[in-house]
Amino acid sequence: MSTATDDTVNTIGTDDETIQANAEGAAAKRTLGVGFWIAAVWIGIVFFAAAFAPWLPFKDPDANYIQPGERPPYPPSMSHPFGTDQDARDILARTAFGGRVSLTVGLVAIAMGMFFGGLMGILAGYFRGWWDRIFSFIFIILLSFPSLVLAILITSLLERSLRTISLTLGILTIAPVGRVARATTISFTEREFVLAARTLGAKNGRIIIRELLPNVVIPMSALALLGMGVAVVAEAGLAFLGLSVEKGPTWGKVILTGAGSRDLQKYPWIALIPIIVLFFTVLALNFAGDRIRSYFDAKETAL
Amino acid sequence: MAGTGKAHLRDGDKVLSIEDLVVEFKVSRNKTVKAVSGISFDVLRGETLGIVGESGCGKSTTGRAIMQIPPPTSGSIVFEGNELTELSHTKVREARTQVQMIFQDPVSSLNPRRSVRDSVLEPLEIWSRGTKEERSRLVDEILESVGIDPDRAAESKPHQFSGGQCQRISVARALVLDPTLIICDEPVSALDVSVQAQVLNLLEDLKKKFGLTLVFIAHDLAVVKNISDRVAVMYLGKLCEIASSDDLYARPAHPYTNVLLDSIPEPDPEADHSVGKIIGEPPSPVAPPSGCRFHPRCAYATDICSQEEPQLRSMGDDHFVACHHPVETPVALS
Amino acid sequence: MSNTAETPLLELDGLRTHFRTERGLVRAVDGVTLSLRRGESLGVVGESGSGKTVLSRSIMGLLPSSSVNHGSVRFAGREILGLSAKQMRHLWGAEMSMVFQNPLNSLNPLMKIGKQITEPLRLHLAMSKANANETAVQLLRDVRIPEAEQRLNQYPHELSGGMRQRVMIAIALACGPTLLFADEPTTALDVTVQAQILDLIGEQRRERNMSVILVTHDLGVVAGHTDQIAVMYGGKLVEYAPTKTLFANMMMPYTKSLMRSIPKLVDPSHSRLATIPGRPPDLVNPPPGCNFAPRCLYAQPRCHVEEPPLVQADDPSHKYACWYPVGTPEFEKRDAELQATGYKPDDVMAVS
């Protein structure tokens, strides 16, 4: 455990910052915190339910469980913990199966973002010059592109499948993650350990992979988790426009089913329950991303 | 000041020989600034050359130019008989194994995500030197010789060490490839006084043990005097004076050197602490003064100083100064 | 000059500043007693972690609310420890002000220089705009900035480091404070500029009969610019004396070792420097006995057990905290042993 002081003189950071920051902040942030683990558990549950939905004891999400004598929708009960929608489809099952789509979309989005965005961002930040000009230009274009228009374009030209929706949102994640990667790379490249690696004879490729990547990956991941939340919400938004995946439930579609004003008043559970699941999932992703960022940040400033 | 003065270059077993080094940087679209404007010097084997000067004088840039990071705009850098500026990219990389560098910020010189021992191992892996066991042994040996426990190094990251220790780890990393020349760029400026002494003593010891040649760049003249055999004073990209350490401090000939020495706060209340004869602020390197670059701030300047750039001339005893009016009876230190 | 007032301008009595952290109580400043008269200058010397910066911030009351203060700080006879920020605000700028280390960080980059100087004038002294501007120009002249009128309209980034520091000093002096804190004011500057700035501070001190507290790690700086010196280590005051007395007769081994570890111009090149092994103490769990004992090459068994109190030397104005200071037989004996080994006390493996 590092002591609260060290012997570097003020030219690096002011003395009082060192003492106070080390004493208070770094010590406090040395763990990820209880909140992080709660968020992680929730995310874990949701992912597990979605991933293994076909093998878990959920009801069939597309089947109509009409009860004789009563008209759907049915409120939450023992046989339908989340209730059913107007077509007597089990909401718990639809939420679980819907998670498969929504979370896949989210994962693909961040995977694309981190891979392509990260690649472009790191190259732009490390080499600067023409690499930077080209990639930054690409980023700007991607950011200026109205996401809705892109989504409509793609879904009308191609099919409304999981693949195309994921791709669309993936493309939209590239620029934000890429820019963070670029900025982080620039700030690390200026630090002397990168210069040291070069003087030791390391080639550029080695420097990028062994020196920069481990450092850049962390803020990128933190952002990626946030991005996943955005992608999941974006899918829900697309569903409202009728632009989401055609087959099968998604969180957006499940929410949409119960979003009519009359339905919200009389049968609130249809929309509210999936909304709550969506909300907590995105909240957990955001929170976890933030905690990761500050955990690794704090470790660095505890110099 | 000497742009093209080579009177001070010597014969002998030279590890490094720099001639007419110029390093230019692009400041904006049309403007370039010459951080180093034509300096020459040499370093004999086993010598420690100190380069001293204030901010903007180009000393750090000189150090980096030797490492070719970035490669200089013009001039010749001969290392162990090889002209570095003419080498291909690959050959320059290879030459790097013989010339290593130590930087100012001890903590930022090490990869924060890697254990300290791995950072020291890195150079051996880059060049695939030796077997795994040999590398491991070498690293442990060197870590011990700089005073760092190898086991602790294996499991700890830079932020768990103090600044002085991080600096020692950087020294270890520089030594692992068995270099001939080590360039130290302000290696102790960021350290506390007592730690500074540790690192300076360490460098002296290692120099003897490994037969190193050092170029020590710093702004603290007392530190430079302590560790160097020969000292070069730079101002605004030019070399003003070069002499053996003791001689430079005993008989400083250049007015700038005199002012520099006068300005150092000596830890002695009886010493004269009034400011030496310096006027004004350091000028910007973008638009340097004509003739002798120091003339606008020099108490002894005359017409010739603004017209003609002085060349390095001998004052005897391997002591050279670039000045039209060197201080004939220099102030001897009390 | 130093006897103009009978009551000292500043009196500290057993000042303690602790920070509550998850690791425990950080004793950043642990019992400092000293006094300063009007017009006098005090140097506070120490390395990182000595508590010197926290000390100056404590006196000014600039620390966050998580800090706990004990003891007494009397400014012009008035107890100021424990006053709220609201009450302290009347003192800041007007009675006591601070010049910081890095002028680039301390000046607002988006505000013109002129405004940064006139702000305290208009706030504390309720000056009119015209009056304030005039005063600002005069202040810039006082700090030797050429073309003072033009400077009012410039931004900090347009000035060099040395000039920015002078602007900081002008701002600090604007309302005529009686006490100026200079916290490592020259560390980030070139040595020639450093000399000019220190001279400037000294000049202003004499002209305004102002007290100055100069916080630094550089013994050279305090040697020429202070009347008294307080040496701090691990949050404690370990030696305290008038400047000339201190340099002539250092008592505490820490001070002595510090002095010996500095390369001096008068020494020949390649002189072996004395070193102080180890690192500064953990302020949460300080070592038993004397804070410095684990690193002290002259430590005797008693030093590791009992904490030495601050006592007087032969000269009553010279105080130190050590059981076996310079001059005692134990010290001299050990010193001779060390010198005989060529002063290689950094058995580097022992360094933690």
Side-chain angles (χ1 to χ4, degrees):
Chain A
M1 184 110 105
S2 60
T3 57
T5 62
D6 76 319
D7 52 17
T8 45
V9 137
N10 294 322
T11 42
I12 294 190
T14 52
D15 199 1
D16 66 316
E17 266 172 41
T18 314
I19 292 183
Q20 286 174 224
N22 279 334
E24 301 173 359
K29 290 175 190 140
R30 209 156 278 158
T31 57
L32 288 165
V34 149
F36 174 82
W37 293 111
I38 294 179
V41 163
W42 172 266
I43 296 174
I45 292 176
V46 171
F47 264 87
F48 182 76
F52 294 107
W55 299 282
L56 289 170
F58 292 124
K59 299 208 163 39
D60 183 342
D62 294 310
N64 308 86
Y65 294 90
I66 307 233
Q67 290 165 11
E70 281 184 53
R71 280 197 323 175
Y74 306 125
S77 63
M78 283 298 290
S79 57
H80 297 287
F82 283 8
T84 73
D85 64 11
Q86 302 89 333
D87 292 328
R89 292 179 295 190
D90 179 51
I91 292 181
L92 174 58
R94 287 179 71 70
T95 308
F97 278 83
R100 291 165 72 82
V101 173
S102 302
L103 293 173
T104 308
V105 167
L107 282 171
V108 170
I110 58 171
M112 277 185 74
M114 283 183 71
F115 183 73
F116 292 108
L119 185 64
M120 291 199 277
I122 291 179
L123 290 175
Y126 183 71
F127 290 109
R128 307 303 294 273
W130 280 107
W131 292 95
D132 194 5
R133 270 177 244 182
I134 294 176
F135 287 141
S136 291
F137 188 63
I138 294 178
F139 288 154
I140 290 182
I141 293 190
L142 282 173
L143 285 169
S144 322
F145 221 88
S147 34
L148 216 48
V149 174
L150 185 67
I152 295 176
L153 255 177
I154 293 189
T155 51
S156 53
L157 290 175
L158 305 168
E159 14 140 54
R160 279 168 44 204
S161 70
L162 184 56
R163 195 187 325 171
T164 52
I165 302 292
S166 308
L167 260 168
T168 312
L169 291 174
I171 291 175
L172 293 169
T173 316
I174 291 177
V177 175
R179 282 174 115 201
V180 166
R182 175 183 172 276
T184 317
T185 305
I186 291 177
S187 91
F188 275 106
T189 309
E190 280 165 12
R191 295 201 16 194
E192 277 151 349
F193 69 88
V194 171
L195 187 58
R198 212 177 295 156
T199 63
L200 290 167
K203 291 195 196 155
N204 283 329
R206 193 188 173 101
I207 294 179
I208 291 178
I209 295 176
R210 283 187 57 89
E211 307 290 338
L212 288 170
L213 199 57
N215 285 294
V216 173
V217 143
I218 288 151
M220 264 209 317
S221 308
L223 186 67
L225 278 175
L226 269 65
M228 187 162 167
V230 172
V232 167
V233 171
E235 182 279 320
L238 283 177
F240 263 67
L241 297 168
L243 290 175
S244 188
V245 174
E246 246 180 278
K247 286 190 300 182
T250 75
W251 282 350
K253 288 167 84 173
V254 175
I255 294 173
L256 182 62
T257 325
S261 53
R262 193 184 69 111
D263 295 318
L264 276 175
Q265 282 179 340
K266 295 185 77 178
Y267 321 112
W269 64 87
I270 305 178
L272 277 179
I273 291 181
I275 285 177
I276 289 173
V277 171
L278 175 67
F279 171 72
F280 276 116
T281 309
V282 173
L283 178 66
L285 287 168
N286 284 354
F287 190 77
D290 194 58
R291 293 302 302 144
I292 288 182
R293 192 194 44 75
S294 72
Y295 174 70
F296 284 100
D297 245 0
K299 270 225 307 219
E300 281 208 11
T301 54
L303 299 170
Chain B
M1 299 202 191
T4 52
K6 303 221 189 107
H8 59 298
L9 296 179
R10 304 164 288 178
D11 301 314
D13 184 9
K14 292 199 260 197
V15 165
L16 186 67
S17 179
I18 311 270
E19 285 191 33
D20 299 317
L21 185 69
V22 175
V23 182
E24 259 179 32
F25 289 115
K26 231 179 161 183
V27 171
S28 63
R29 190 171 285 208
N30 296 321
K31 276 204 285 189
T32 53
V33 62
K34 278 204 188 134
V36 180
S37 307
I39 63 169
S40 313
F41 61 87
D42 51 32
V43 186
L44 299 176
R45 195 170 306 274
E47 208 180 30
T48 300
L49 172 73
I51 303 182
V52 106
E54 298 183 295
S55 41
C57 69
K59 56 189 193 298
S60 279
T61 313
T62 304
R64 293 187 183 200
I66 299 174
M67 296 292 297
Q68 306 277 311
I69 312 167
T73 313
S74 71
S76 124
I77 301 178
V78 176
F79 173 70
E80 295 276 48
N82 296 319
E83 174 59 67
L84 291 182
T85 53
E86 283 167 11
L87 290 181
S88 68
H89 214 58
T90 340
K91 293 276 179 204
V92 168
R93 261 187 74 231
E94 276 172 29
R96 291 234 177 94
T97 58
Q98 290 302 299
V99 186
Q100 283 302 300
M101 203 158 173
I102 300 172
F103 305 90
Q104 177 175 354
D105 186 343
V107 183
S108 139
S109 304
L110 299 168
N111 189 331
R113 300 257 149 256
R114 205 183 293 157
S115 86
V116 140
R117 189 168 184 277
D118 283 344
S119 286
V120 179
L121 207 51
E122 179 79 359
L124 295 171
E125 288 183 358
I126 294 176
W127 294 99
S128 308
R129 292 240 181 124
T131 66
K132 203 152 174 238
E133 295 81 39
E134 284 168 356
R135 286 182 217 167
S136 191
R137 224 181 315 131
L138 180 61
V139 166
D140 286 341
E141 241 178 69
I142 294 198
L143 279 172
E144 280 183 18
S145 65
V146 300
I148 299 284
D149 176 18
D151 293 316
R152 181 150 173 243
E155 45 190 60
S156 310
K157 299 215 170 48
H159 71 265
Q160 290 164 289
F161 288 94
S162 70
Q165 288 172 317
C166 283
Q167 201 62 303
R168 284 191 255 143
I169 293 166
S170 294
V171 172
R173 181 176 59 183
L175 286 173
V176 119
L177 289 175
D178 196 20
T180 319
L181 174 67
I182 298 190
I183 301 176
C184 309
D185 189 358
E186 304 262 23
V188 295
S189 311
L191 303 174
D192 263 334
V193 159
S194 54
V195 181
Q196 198 166 290
Q198 286 176 14
V199 175
L200 289 174
N201 283 352
L202 179 69
L203 284 171
E204 290 266 35
D205 291 339
L206 293 173
K207 184 181 156 192
K208 283 197 202 98
K209 184 170 172 186
F210 292 97
L212 301 167
T213 305
L214 298 180
V215 172
F216 194 93
I217 299 169
H219 65 273
D220 186 331
L221 294 137
V223 165
V224 170
K225 183 190 183 189
N226 179 270
I227 198 166
S228 313
D229 300 306
R230 206 161 179 247
V231 176
V233 181
M234 283 183 72
Y235 182 81
L236 221 56
K238 300 269 186 193
L239 204 52
C240 344
E241 190 167 358
I242 185 165
S244 75
S245 316
D246 291 316
D247 209 35
L248 186 80
Y249 290 84
R251 283 180 295 278
H254 198 285
Y256 177 60
T257 315
N258 270 286
V259 160
L260 216 49
L261 289 170
D262 280 346
S263 307
I264 298 173
E266 271 286 290
D268 177 5
E270 305 295 340
D272 181 11
H273 285 260
S274 61
V275 183
K277 303 174 194 59
I278 197 168
I279 309 160
E281 295 275 319
S284 141
V286 176
S290 59
C292 170
R293 294 195 172 183
F294 186 60
H295 84 260
R297 307 175 74 198
C298 182
Y300 307 101
T302 60
D303 283 339
I304 190 181
C305 302
S306 58
Q307 292 156 1
E308 202 185 296
E309 198 182 309
Q311 302 286 295
L312 279 165
R313 303 185 280 168
S314 168
M315 300 274 292
D317 265 342
D318 195 28
H319 187 152
F320 295 85
V321 66
C323 180
H324 294 298
H325 310 290
V327 181
E328 292 299 330
T329 47
V331 179
L333 285 172
S334 50
Chain C
M1 176 172 52
S2 29
N3 282 317
T4 42
E6 281 191 347
T7 39
L9 179 67
L10 182 71
E11 281 176 292
L12 302 179
D13 195 354
L15 176 63
R16 269 172 238 281
T17 302
H18 299 158
F19 294 103
R20 282 203 199 93
T21 71
E22 276 196 12
R23 275 187 61 222
L25 202 62
V26 173
R27 295 185 180 82
V29 174
D30 206 14
V32 172
T33 301
L34 49 85
S35 75
L36 187 65
R37 281 194 284 256
R38 181 89 190 256
E40 258 188 346
S41 121
L42 167 73
V44 179
V45 175
E47 300 179 290
S48 302
S50 58
K52 60 188 194 297
T53 299
V54 176
L55 178 67
S56 56
R57 305 282 159 106
S58 268
I59 300 173
M60 274 201 71
L62 283 174
L63 293 173
S65 48
S66 59
S67 64
V68 179
N69 296 302
H70 303 283
S72 151
V73 176
R74 299 181 72 78
F75 178 71
R78 180 179 158 207
E79 178 66 50
I80 61 170
L81 192 68
L83 289 186
S84 69
K86 202 162 164 206
Q87 291 162 308
M88 288 305 287
R89 229 169 271 149
H90 295 293
L91 293 176
W92 293 337
E95 305 274 349
M96 48 167 81
S97 52
M98 196 179 261
V99 176
F100 301 92
Q101 175 182 338
N102 196 334
L104 195 54
N105 292 340
S106 322
L107 290 174
N108 186 337
L110 296 176
M111 208 191 267
K112 287 189 187 163
I113 305 273
K115 184 138 186 260
Q116 299 197 44
I117 302 180
T118 54
E119 217 177 29
L121 290 172
R122 304 193 65 191
L123 194 63
H124 288 292
L125 304 180
M127 279 192 187
S128 69
K129 196 164 174 190
N131 230 348
N133 277 331
E134 243 182 73
T135 316
V137 172
Q138 186 52 48
L139 279 165
L140 287 177
R141 292 214 187 97
D142 284 345
V143 298
R144 306 289 175 82
I145 290 185
E147 295 149 351
E149 291 91 358
Q150 283 93 310
R151 304 292 177 187
L152 288 185
N153 284 322
Q154 284 187 331
Y155 289 95
H157 67 262
E158 295 177 61
L159 303 179
S160 71
M163 292 231 267
R164 273 184 236 130
Q165 194 61 300
R166 290 171 199 270
V167 169
M168 279 272 312
I169 294 173
I171 296 174
L173 296 176
C175 300
T178 43
L179 175 59
L180 178 72
F181 287 90
D183 193 345
E184 303 264 16
T186 55
T187 309
L189 301 172
D190 280 326
V191 76
T192 47
V193 181
Q194 176 172 305
Q196 293 172 330
I197 297 287
L198 289 172
D199 261 22
L200 173 65
I201 293 179
E203 200 183 276
Q204 289 298 313
R205 169 171 78 95
R206 284 183 290 274
E207 267 180 37
R208 294 161 181 263
N209 197 23
M210 183 177 65
S211 303
V212 173
I213 295 186
L214 189 59
V215 177
T216 177
H217 63 278
D218 190 339
L219 275 173
V221 163
V222 290
H225 298 272
T226 56
D227 300 312
Q228 15 166 358
I229 297 180
V231 180
M232 291 196 63
Y233 183 81
K236 296 204 190 282
L237 183 63
V238 295
E239 193 157 2
Y240 176 43
T243 306
K244 294 214 169 94
T245 316
L246 183 75
F247 279 94
N249 191 22
M250 288 181 182
M251 299 293 287
M252 220 274 183
Y254 172 64
T255 322
K256 191 88 184 173
S257 305
L258 202 60
M259 185 69 181
R260 282 180 177 158
S261 68
I262 303 173
K264 296 170 205 55
L265 286 176
V266 293
D267 294 338
S269 67
H270 302 292
S271 309
R272 190 78 181 170
L273 298 167
T275 65
I276 306 179
R279 300 162 67 161
D282 182 351
L283 295 175
V284 175
N285 296 309
C290 172
N291 262 359
F292 184 58
R295 301 173 73 189
C296 184
L297 299 166
Y298 306 89
Q300 306 289 328
R302 188 179 186 191
C303 303
H304 296 284
V305 173
E306 267 182 80
E307 194 183 313
L310 201 64
V311 294
Q312 259 174 241
D314 296 327
D315 180 347
S317 57
H318 186 169
K319 300 193 176 58
Y320 64 92
C322 182
W323 293 122
Y324 303 100
V326 176
T328 51
E330 290 87 349
F331 180 92
E332 295 304 329
K333 177 161 166 253
R334 186 88 180 94
D335 204 34
E337 284 168 15
L338 286 169
Q339 305 265 21
T341 66
Y343 232 120
K344 287 195 185 188
D346 47 348
D347 178 5
V348 278
M349 280 305 283
V351 171
S352 58

